Amino acid sequence: MNSALLSTRGLTCRFGGLTAVDRVDFDVRPGQVHAILGPNGAGKSTLINLLSGELRPSEGEIHYRQRPIHGLPAHRVARLGIGRSHQKTNIFPRLSCLENCRLAARIHLGGVIASWRSRATARQVDERAEQALATCQLSHRAATPANAMSYGEQRQLQIAMVLATAPTLMLLDEPLAGMGREETARVTELLGALRGDYTLVLIEHDMDSVFALAERITVMVDGRVLETGTTDTIRGSSKVRDVYLGRHQQEEA
Amino acid sequence: MLHRYPKRVPIMMLTLTAILVLYPLWGAALIGDGSEFFLEKLTLMLILGLFAMSLDLLVGVIGLVSLGHALFFGLAGYTLAMASPSYSAASLWWMMPLVMLVSALSALVIGALVLRTRGIFFIMTTLAFGQMLYYLVSDASFTGGSDGLFIMFKPTLAIGDLTLIDLENPLHFFYFVMGVTLLAYLFLHWLIRSYFGQVLDGIHDNEHRMQALGYATYGYKLAAFVISGVLAGVAGMLAAMQYGFANPAQLGWHLSGEVLMMVILGGMGTLFGPLLGAFAYELLHYAFEHLTVYWQLLMGLTIILIVLVLPKGLAGLILDPPRFRLPGAGMKGLFRSGPAALFKARLGPALPHEHDEGRHYE
């Protein structure tokens, strides 16, 4: 089709009478940080859920590395190297940070049986989990149960778990949601460090972070793509200003 | 860290095991004439403990509440009764694998269907399968209808002509059951700490997230369902050997409910808890039965009280021993805040975490 790592054509998702995602064409280029913007209810999370296989599209296609993946269950999509984090904190509360990451790493290193069979694989799982924690600056928390950590740290752990799956493409649904200013800065920096090594699709409301991180931005309104382009294009787009940023400013005025 | 317990747990379990092993030394002296009868009760408690542990793998570890677990228990009894020759004893060498195979296959088929449902629907479908088999064996002639089937001879455990353990001897049978239960405990203990067990913990906490990580959770749940069914089958076979018959009551929903109560009473997800729960349940049952014909009323009230005071069951009592420090200063504080403070003081550490709420019904 094109050089895109992931692309959708005519992607549509309906819930009864509501069309949450409406004929979306969306391309993610390898190695880029691609942000999705839009007001609440624009269909951003639904789009991510479609990409990750957690929802099935009503119509349309999703291609990953030129291969169709629409209709695959979530675990198959994840195994292809598409990792995701959720808007709501989604960790295993009773397990320690390291165990959370091990669980994430293990299924991508041959699963339970491979770790059972081979010490070397089990060690590889440990290493990858520790590395993911280190990248997210959580090494000192390795043995802490996830439910004993602060909210911000839990959000960081969530990113660490995605990293531990060694994904090619990361789908991050509002990784900064509910964070304080200091935590936002720290995680923005962390995400910036991942740029280049991974392809990122990012839903985020924090404009400063979005414009600092993203190379391309897609603006969605009412389930449709309003505009896609580089950060400068989006900044300069009159359509976006009118419909999204404009409305925002009017509300403030 | 999950499923890792303080030292007092293994010490307590070893002590209890030692007390049971030494029963011949103290049984007759302490109980006198009833010691033979009590030995059979203890054997039954061990069997039910094994049964409760098998259910705990589903209910406590994965969070799948089954109301049809007696199906595997009873089916194994019928398998034993129907496969045993009429006028001689079967050999346990092939009977045990046969029972395990039948249990595994039925668990595989039933699990494949019921695991497609969740929450309340899982409870209902397991109940439905249990009742289906219950009415089938109650009405069919080849299963002896509501009378069930008799097992004239217990299977033998022998090499050639050499009898290893004489299962007709109650004491030998007791030791045999104890060995099987102990093996099952060690196996499950290892299993829930293994990589496989960690996946089950993950499914318990957040199945959706497990799938998003790449785990095909259905397969893991099915594997656990089969393991659980096989162990329940072994328990059911031992029970049928003990009773000397297979009866529809051994696979009815009453028993499914009772074993669930044993698990809850003992403490879900702790393995040693449900084992203790089975003993506690049977002891209470026995005591109340002798007290009044309305024993079920007492039983129900006791269970409600225990669930209220010990939300994590007997295991919670051991893992988080109650602290008898009262709010306020000693007795004065008690009078000021009423007896409720007593309960609150005990409840404190045992209250479930916020993440525990309602997770079985997600």
Side-chain angles (χ1 to χ4, degrees), chain B residues 120-348:
Chain B
I120 190 85
F121 301 105
F122 181 81
I123 300 179
M124 288 297 118
T125 45
T126 50
L127 177 64
F129 271 103
Q131 289 309 89
M132 262 193 262
L133 195 69
Y134 175 80
Y135 283 110
L136 179 74
V137 300
S138 306
D139 290 338
S141 56
F142 68 94
T143 53
S146 52
D147 292 336
L149 295 171
F150 283 94
I151 299 153
M152 295 304 174
F153 302 94
K154 280 182 185 162
T156 56
L157 195 63
I159 298 174
D161 287 336
L162 177 71
T163 302
L164 295 178
I165 304 171
D166 179 14
L167 299 176
E168 296 286 353
N169 178 327
L171 191 61
H172 288 196
F173 185 63
F174 169 71
Y175 283 129
F176 177 70
V177 167
M178 191 165 196
V180 172
T181 305
L182 201 65
L183 274 180
Y185 175 79
L186 293 174
F187 168 71
L188 286 172
H189 179 94
W190 164 80
L191 188 79
I192 62 174
R193 283 163 181 76
S194 70
Y195 300 134
F196 178 73
Q198 284 169 15
V199 175
L200 300 184
D201 288 332
I203 293 173
H204 186 167
D205 282 358
N206 197 335
E207 181 170 4
H208 192 73
R209 184 75 187 113
M210 288 301 279
Q211 287 168 341
L213 285 178
Y215 285 91
T217 53
Y218 179 76
Y220 291 90
K221 288 196 290 186
L222 187 56
F225 195 87
V226 170
I227 292 169
S228 171
V230 168
L231 292 176
V234 171
M237 181 194 73
L238 294 174
M241 284 165 72
Q242 158 107 340
Y243 295 138
F245 56 81
N247 187 283
Q250 286 162 20
L251 45 74
W253 74 279
H254 266 104
L255 185 60
S256 295
E258 276 184 309
V259 71
L260 197 56
M261 276 194 267
M262 292 173 198
V263 171
I264 293 168
L265 186 66
M268 292 183 282
T270 56
L271 219 55
F272 72 90
L275 191 56
L276 297 179
F279 275 78
Y281 187 93
E282 280 302 300
L283 285 172
L284 286 175
H285 182 165
Y286 185 66
F288 290 153
E289 212 173 24
H290 276 253
L291 222 58
T292 159
V293 283
Y294 305 111
W295 65 273
Q296 279 162 320
L297 201 64
L298 284 178
M299 194 76 188
L301 286 172
T302 311
I303 299 277
I304 291 171
L305 194 71
I306 290 180
V307 169
L308 282 176
V309 180
L310 300 169
K312 287 192 169 172
L314 298 174
L317 200 62
I318 295 153
L319 294 174
D320 266 322
R323 281 167 281 176
F324 287 100
R325 215 181 316 134
L326 298 169
M331 289 311 276
K332 256 189 209 163
L334 178 62
F335 285 123
R336 214 180 301 133
S337 43
L342 242 178
F343 285 119
K344 237 179 244 160
R346 307 182 106 221
L347 268 172

Side-chain angles (χ1 to χ4, degrees), chain A residues 110-235:
Chain A
V112 167
I113 293 172
S115 287
W116 228 327
R117 277 214 192 122
S118 139
R119 276 259 160 106
T121 310
R123 216 171 300 130
Q124 219 179 328
V125 170
D126 287 351
E127 276 165 22
R128 198 186 271 183
E130 279 157 17
Q131 219 168 9
L133 281 185
T135 309
C136 295
Q137 295 159 12
L138 282 175
S139 294
H140 62 294
R141 289 297 217 175
T144 313
N147 60 5
M149 299 198 303
S150 75
Y151 176 78
E153 284 175 319
Q154 291 185 357
R155 303 292 303 188
Q156 274 169 269
L157 174 60
Q158 227 184 327
I159 297 171
M161 284 166 72
V162 182
L163 280 178
T165 67
T168 310
L169 173 65
M170 291 172 75
L171 310 171
L172 304 177
D173 195 350
E174 298 199 30
L176 305 174
M179 283 191 169
R181 194 170 296 168
E182 218 172 286
E183 290 169 329
T184 301
R186 193 165 64 218
V187 175
T188 305
E189 193 185 329
L190 160 67
L191 292 177
L194 300 179
R195 190 162 49 182
D197 293 335
Y198 302 91
T199 308
L200 261 65
V201 172
L202 187 72
I203 297 181
E204 193 44 68
H205 283 299
D206 188 308
M207 288 301 160
D208 294 338
S209 301
V210 167
F211 282 101
L213 288 169
E215 284 138 298
R216 283 177 76 78
I217 296 178
T218 292
V219 180
M220 285 181 75
V221 174
D222 295 331
R224 294 185 196 179
V225 172
L226 185 73
E227 186 100 81
T228 294
T230 61
T231 43
D232 291 335
T233 322
I234 296 298
R235 256 203 205 99

Side-chain angles (χ1 to χ4, degrees), chain A residues 54 79 90 94 103 106 108, chain B residues 195 205-206 208 213-215:
Chain A
E54 278 157 86
R79 299 278 276 275
N90 216 342
R94 298 177 301 162
L103 218 43
R106 183 161 296 121
H108 295 269
Chain B
Y195 300 134
D205 282 358
N206 197 335
H208 192 73
L213 285 178
Y215 285 91

